[in-house]
């Protein structure tokens, strides 16, 4: 749902014009806002399902989430750029 509503926001906020500037704004929005919120929700859900304490959830989110986010930043900006360029809104 987080990604779904993030993309809906982007489609409403930005025109369907696929200029480099618009694509860059969309990619930055996804990487800087949607992705961290998605990861927080993921680790919170995993923690709740595993009955972790709040401290364990925070620790796992910080330790594992930072590594995952770093790896994600190496792959997804290019994929998102191609997605926004090739796939119509």
């Amino acid at each position: 749902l987080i990604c779904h509503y993030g993309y809906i926001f982007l489609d409403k906020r930005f025109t369907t014009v696929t200029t480099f500037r618009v694509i860059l704004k969309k990619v930055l929005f996804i990487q800087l806002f949607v992705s961290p919120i998605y990861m927080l929700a993921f680790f919170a859900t995993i923690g709740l399902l595993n009955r972790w304490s709040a401290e364990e959830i925070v620790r796992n989110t910080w330790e594992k989430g930072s590594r995952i986010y770093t790896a994600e930043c190496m792959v997804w900006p290019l994929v998102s750029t191609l997605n926004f360029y090739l796939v119509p809104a």
Side-chain angles (χ1 to χ4, degrees), residues 15 24 32 46-47 49 55 63 79-80 88:
T15 62
L24 181 63
L32 297 176
I46 294 298
L49 291 173
E55 293 81 19
E63 291 174 2
V79 174
S80 294

Side-chain angles (χ1 to χ4, degrees), residues 1 16-17 29 34 42 44 50-51 54 56 58 60 65 70 75 85 87:
L1 285 173
T16 57
V17 178
F29 178 80
V34 175
F42 172 78
N50 287 312
R51 296 188 173 124
E56 288 175 306
V58 170
N60 278 303
T70 301
V75 175
Y85 182 73
V87 179

Side-chain angles (χ1 to χ4, degrees), residues 31-88:
Q31 285 303 125
L32 297 176
F33 296 104
V34 175
S35 182
I37 293 169
Y38 179 80
M39 272 198 245
L40 288 172
F42 172 78
F43 281 105
T45 302
I46 294 298
L48 292 172
L49 291 173
N50 287 312
R51 296 188 173 124
W52 292 345
S53 68
E55 293 81 19
E56 288 175 306
I57 293 172
V58 170
R59 184 174 37 82
N60 278 303
T61 301
W62 184 254
E63 291 174 2
K64 295 175 184 173
S66 61
R67 284 186 276 154
I68 292 170
Y69 185 71
T70 301
E72 179 182 294
C73 286
M74 294 178 190
V75 175
W76 285 110
L78 176 61
V79 174
S80 294
T81 301
L82 291 172
N83 177 42
F84 291 130
Y85 182 73
L86 297 173
V87 179

